């Protein structure tokens, strides 16, 4: 039994208002499969329901009139019982779009496709733009019986991202099947997935490959190694909710006073997140090249909004070495670069640098003496 995904787009991470100044504008690109398999028809045998026996609560059987001019092999002009997920997908798709943060600079694009790209519809990420694109989705109709071409609309999405200039590009590809065209071939589709790996980072792009049914993988298991090879591609299987990207911001700098801290100091870096970090997400620190200090994370995961780090002397370096090398009143800033241990498309670092300010001076103290008479 094919298992459509229902909760695919319901989960949404609301970003806090504190990110407004740091976060980049986003271009959301929805690549939307509108082949007739979404209505329950098998594109290869024409008249068979694709999801026989689908649970009632997932997709209720209904009767739809099909124009014989559009689908000539379906005994056109009659009513045919079939299971479909089309309305479910349009419901969650429009709901998700309405949850996108409003941003006059941001954009939302929709690419409906079957055996080719049928349209590219782009609006600004404003209230009006979101309403317009949702109305477009609700009115959209395609009754042409075709095979499924995923390669061409993915290339179109990459071209949009390539031209966006300074945007964070989030591509969400929703399909219930696999690429089954002769031209472009399956290998050309695989090559495009492979190309996305080198394309993604310089274009700040992420691909969420949303499999609306288990048929999407069963139809083309050969694509899985290509999807898993790229850290900026996230596969969303039918039984997994889609969590959208969490923005992370590091703030503050650390003041390391040799006179007070000694050779073993610990500091907290404030971490603000616009949502819940994945359970297995961890971070590491890389300190600017220097002869004396190293900076290590402790635990590697922010706890209660803090990332704990330790400043240590490098092996073989003593405090005497440091104090001799650093004259009194010395003040030097070292850049601390924070990186994920493994990149996760769900987490976007808004800034990756903090500073360690090293000083070597005694604290000034004011002594008040009270003479009693």
């Amino acid at each position: 039994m094919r298992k459509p995904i229902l909760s695919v787009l319901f989960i949404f991470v609301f970003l806090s208002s504190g990110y407004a100044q740091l976060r980049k504008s986003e271009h959301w690109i929805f690549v939307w499969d509108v082949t007739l398999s979404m209505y329950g028809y098998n594109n290869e045998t024409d008249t068979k329901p694709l999801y026989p026996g689908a649970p009632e609560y997932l997709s209720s059987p209904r009767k739809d009139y099909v124009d014989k001019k559009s689908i000539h092999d379906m005994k056109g002009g009659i009513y045919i019982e079939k299971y479909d997920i089309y309305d479910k997908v349009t419901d969650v798709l429009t709901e998700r779009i309405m949850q996108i943060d409003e941003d006059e600079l941001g954009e939302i694009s929709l690419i409906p496709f079957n055996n080719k790209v049928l349209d590219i519809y782009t609006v600004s990420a404003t209230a009006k733009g979101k309403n317009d694109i949702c109305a477009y989705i609700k009115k959209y109709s395609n009754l042409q019986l075709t095979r499924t071409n995923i390669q061409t609309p993915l290339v179109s999405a990459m071209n949009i991202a390539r031209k966006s200039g300074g945007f964070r590009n989030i591509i969400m590809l929703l399909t219930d099947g696999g690429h089954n065209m002769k031209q472009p071939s399956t290998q050309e589709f695989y090559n495009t997935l492979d190309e996305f790996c080198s394309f993604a980072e310089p274009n700040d792009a992420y691909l969420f490959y949303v499999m609306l049914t288990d048929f999407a993988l069963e139809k083309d298991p050969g694509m899985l190694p290509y999807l898993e090879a790229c850290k900026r591609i996230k596969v969303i299987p039918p039984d997994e909710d889609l969590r959208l990207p969490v923005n992370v911001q590091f703030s503050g700098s650390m003041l390391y006073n040799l006179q007070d801290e000694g050779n073993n100091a610990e500091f907290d870096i404030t971490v603000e997140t616009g949502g819940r970090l994945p359970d297995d997400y961890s971070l590491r620190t890389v300190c600017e090249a220097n002869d004396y200090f190293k900076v290590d994370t402790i635990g590697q995961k922010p706890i209660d909004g803090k990332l704990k780090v330790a400043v240590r002397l490098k092996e073989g370096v003593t405090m005497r070495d440091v104090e001799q090398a650093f004259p009194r009143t010395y003040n030097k800033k070292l850049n601390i670069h924070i990186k994920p241990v493994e990149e996760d498309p769900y987490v976007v670092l808004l800034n990756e640098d903090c500073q360690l300010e090293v000083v070597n001076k005694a604290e000034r103290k004011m002594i008040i003496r009270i003479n009693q008479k």
Side-chain angles (χ1 to χ4, degrees):
M1 179 174 67
R2 312 300 178 193
K3 181 172 54 176
I5 181 169
L6 285 186
S7 54
V8 57
L9 299 175
F10 284 118
I11 303 299
F12 175 61
V13 177
F14 287 95
L15 301 173
S16 65
S17 59
Y19 296 113
Q21 295 180 346
L22 282 177
R23 60 179 296 199
K24 296 170 69 173
S25 289
E26 295 168 335
H27 195 149
W28 293 83
I29 307 169
F30 295 90
V31 183
W32 178 31
D33 183 347
V34 294
T35 55
L36 285 188
S37 60
M38 297 284 282
Y39 287 100
Y41 291 107
N42 189 318
N43 288 2
E44 296 178 0
T45 60
D46 299 348
T47 56
K48 277 187 180 179
L50 184 59
Y51 311 116
E56 180 76 13
Y57 72 92
L58 290 181
S59 51
S60 301
R62 71 181 192 185
K63 296 181 178 181
D64 291 294
Y65 182 75
V66 180
D67 184 352
K68 64 181 180 182
K69 293 180 181 178
S70 298
I71 307 175
H72 57 275
D73 291 330
M74 300 190 78
K75 303 173 186 176
I78 68 170
Y79 288 92
I80 302 172
E81 290 265 328
K82 61 185 182 294
Y83 294 90
D84 68 83
I85 60 171
Y86 186 88
D87 287 346
K88 297 289 185 183
V89 174
T90 57
D91 286 346
V92 294
L93 181 56
T94 53
E95 181 169 342
R96 175 65 196 94
I97 287 172
M98 292 305 295
Q99 292 172 334
I100 292 175
D101 284 352
E102 293 182 15
D103 179 359
E104 291 185 357
L105 299 178
E107 292 183 337
I108 305 168
S109 291
L110 181 75
I111 307 177
F113 71 93
N114 51 18
N115 66 338
K116 60 186 177 183
V117 170
L118 297 170
D119 195 7
I120 297 178
Y121 187 81
T122 300
V123 297
S124 61
T126 59
K128 182 182 184 303
K130 293 192 294 183
N131 284 325
D132 287 348
I133 201 167
C134 287
Y136 175 94
I137 291 169
K138 290 297 186 181
K139 291 179 181 178
Y140 192 86
S141 177
N142 170 63
L143 295 178
Q144 183 183 9
L145 184 68
T146 68
R147 289 180 175 270
T148 303
N149 175 2
I150 302 178
Q151 190 264 356
T152 301
L154 178 56
V155 169
S156 296
M158 292 167 62
N159 287 337
I160 291 172
R162 188 178 283 112
K163 297 174 183 177
S164 66
F167 282 75
R168 177 172 297 114
N169 297 285
I170 302 169
I171 302 172
M172 298 185 63
L173 192 157
L174 296 85
T175 182
D176 69 334
H179 182 91
N180 59 10
M181 299 284 292
K182 291 183 179 180
Q183 288 295 329
S185 67
T186 298
Q187 187 57 54
E188 288 177 279
F189 171 49
Y190 293 165
N191 292 344
T192 300
L193 291 175
D194 192 44
E195 179 190 345
F196 186 87
C197 284
S198 57
F199 160 87
E201 187 168 353
N203 292 280
D204 201 2
Y206 301 84
L207 170 61
F208 292 84
Y209 198 105
V210 184
M211 297 181 176
L212 298 169
T213 71
D214 54 14
F215 191 68
L217 182 58
E218 290 175 10
K219 192 68 177 175
D220 190 5
M223 70 178 170
L224 197 57
Y226 293 89
L227 295 172
E228 293 177 341
C230 183
K231 294 184 182 297
R232 288 197 173 215
I233 296 178
K234 177 67 177 179
V235 177
I236 310 298
D239 58 352
E240 181 181 323
D241 289 332
L242 176 62
R243 294 176 289 110
L244 294 177
V246 176
N247 282 358
V248 175
Q249 173 186 345
F250 304 106
S251 60
S253 60
M254 299 169 284
L255 179 64
Y256 179 28
N257 191 337
L258 299 175
Q259 296 286 314
D260 299 327
E261 304 292 350
N263 62 353
N264 189 355
E266 294 185 1
F267 300 93
D268 288 332
I269 298 176
T270 301
V271 182
E272 297 181 19
T273 62
R276 182 177 65 82
L277 289 172
D279 293 336
D280 58 352
Y281 188 73
S282 57
L283 296 159
R284 63 187 177 92
T285 53
V286 179
C287 186
E288 177 184 338
N290 70 93
D291 294 330
Y292 300 98
F293 307 103
K294 61 180 180 178
V295 180
D296 297 317
T297 52
I298 302 174
Q300 295 186 309
K301 185 171 182 179
I303 298 176
D304 297 329
K306 304 290 182 183
L307 177 65
K308 190 171 286 294
V309 299
V311 179
R312 316 279 193 221
L313 297 186
K314 289 186 173 181
E315 187 174 351
V317 176
T318 67
M319 278 301 296
R320 183 177 178 82
D321 296 331
V322 176
E323 289 176 351
Q324 287 179 344
F326 289 60
R328 294 295 173 95
T329 71
Y330 180 86
N331 186 315
K332 179 175 176 59
K333 294 181 178 179
L334 297 174
N335 289 323
I336 308 297
H337 193 61
I338 303 172
K339 301 184 61 148
V341 174
E342 289 192 10
E343 191 166 358
D344 190 317
Y346 281 137
V347 182
V348 178
L349 304 185
L350 295 178
N351 60 321
E352 299 181 347
D353 295 301
C354 291
Q355 283 192 330
L356 174 67
E357 185 174 357
V358 181
V359 299
N360 183 14
K361 58 184 177 182
E363 295 278 354
R364 292 185 178 181
K365 299 179 181 179
M366 181 172 66
I367 301 176
I368 300 176
R369 293 186 175 87
I370 299 177
N371 296 321
Q372 294 183 351
K373 294 184 179 180

